[in-house]
């Protein structure tokens, strides 16, 4: 939902209120997923509205998923992100889980961080990632322990003129 524009969110929100307040039975099923790590203002308001409705309406059900249930699931996800089908690098990948959490978005950002720091890279045929164990371990040790610091470190290392980016973003916002 966080990628929907405000018109779509408003439509779904109004439809839910309409369906809930109908006199006859409504057989509509709406499945919405929210990544609570990344919500814009309208999707945040929509999420809170649904949470409020859930308290009084039995047919509204919210299931919160906070990452993977255990580190083995997170490990399989990391293998998928780096295109590995063997367990030979599982000890190195487990270090990422220990540093951050089992949340998929956090793990994805960690992989991007490793790629940007040349700890992992694509093979010549773009078949997948190859891991340089010595660089990998060094980069993991320097990797921040939380997502905010990780993102700050990732974006501060980019060679962009942030004044120019801020000017463009402010023009888009207006």
């Amino acid at each position: 939902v966080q990628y929907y524009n405000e018109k779509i969110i408003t439509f779904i929100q109004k439809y839910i209120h309409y369906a809930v307040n109908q006199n006859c039975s409504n057989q509509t099923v709406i499945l919405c997923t929210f990544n609570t790590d990344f919500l814009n203002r309208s999707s945040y308001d929509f999420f809170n509205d649904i949470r409020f409705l859930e308290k009084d309406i039995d047919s509204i059900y919210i299931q919160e998923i906070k990452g993977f249930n255990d580190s083995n699931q997170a490990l399989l996800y990391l293998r998928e992100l780096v295109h590995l089908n063997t367990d030979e690098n599982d000890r190195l990948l487990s270090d990422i889980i220990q540093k951050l959490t089992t949340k998929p978005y956090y793990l994805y950002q960690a992989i991007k961080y490793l790629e940007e720091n040349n700890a992992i890279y694509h093979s010549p045929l773009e078949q997948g990632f190859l891991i340089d164990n010595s660089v990998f371990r060094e980069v993991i040790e320097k990797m921040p322990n939380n997502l905010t610091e990780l993102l700050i470190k990732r974006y501060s290392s980019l060679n962009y003129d942030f004044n120019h980016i801020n000017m463009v973003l402010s023009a888009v916002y207006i």
Side-chain angles (χ1 to χ4, degrees):
V1 171
Q2 63 270 10
Y3 300 113
Y4 289 177
N5 68 36
E6 198 166 329
K7 289 180 182 180
I8 293 173
I9 291 173
T10 301
F11 171 78
I12 295 170
Q13 195 169 17
K14 286 185 176 187
Y15 183 79
I16 289 171
H17 283 276
Y18 165 77
V20 166
N21 293 310
Q22 272 186 307
N23 289 331
C24 59
S25 175
N26 187 311
Q27 301 298 317
T28 302
V29 174
I30 298 175
L31 174 66
C32 296
T33 59
F34 296 85
N35 181 347
T36 55
D37 291 326
F38 178 74
L39 291 174
N40 60 31
R41 175 43 96 193
S42 56
S43 58
Y44 176 78
D45 292 342
F46 179 38
F47 179 66
N48 284 330
D49 186 39
I50 290 188
R51 285 178 30 187
F52 178 75
L53 287 173
E54 182 198 28
K55 294 175 185 173
D56 297 325
I57 302 166
D58 292 338
S59 60
I60 294 179
Y61 176 71
I62 294 177
Q63 174 64 47
E64 189 172 355
I65 301 170
K66 293 187 175 195
F68 297 108
N69 293 330
D70 61 45
S71 59
N72 286 332
Q73 292 174 331
L75 190 58
L76 291 173
Y77 178 66
L78 283 172
R79 275 196 215 160
E80 184 67 28
L81 288 176
V82 294
H83 309 289
L84 297 173
N85 57 5
T86 64
D87 61 357
E88 67 186 70
N89 291 298
D90 282 0
R91 289 185 78 185
L92 295 172
L93 295 175
S94 294
D95 292 343
I96 297 171
I97 298 167
Q98 294 298 320
K99 274 281 200 178
L100 295 171
T101 67
T102 59
K103 291 184 177 182
Y105 182 72
Y106 290 35
L107 299 174
Y108 174 78
Q109 291 301 326
I111 295 300
K112 297 308 274 178
Y113 174 79
L114 292 169
E115 184 179 358
E116 291 162 359
N117 286 279
N118 299 319
I120 54 178
Y121 50 93
H122 286 281
S123 67
L125 298 175
E126 297 293 322
Q127 297 284 324
F129 286 100
L130 300 175
I131 296 179
D132 182 335
N133 291 352
S134 60
V135 175
F136 187 91
R137 185 148 315 276
E138 182 182 322
V139 172
I140 287 287
E141 287 175 10
K142 293 178 183 176
M143 185 174 13
N145 291 331
N146 64 60
L147 180 66
T148 303
E149 292 298 318
L150 178 70
L151 291 175
I152 289 170
K153 202 165 187 176
R154 274 193 67 207
Y155 291 107
S156 66
S157 68
L158 298 176
N159 294 324
Y160 290 121
D161 178 5
F162 286 103
N163 290 329
H164 180 70
I165 291 172
N166 288 335
M167 184 180 70
V168 169
L169 291 175
S170 64
V172 169
Y173 180 74
I174 294 172

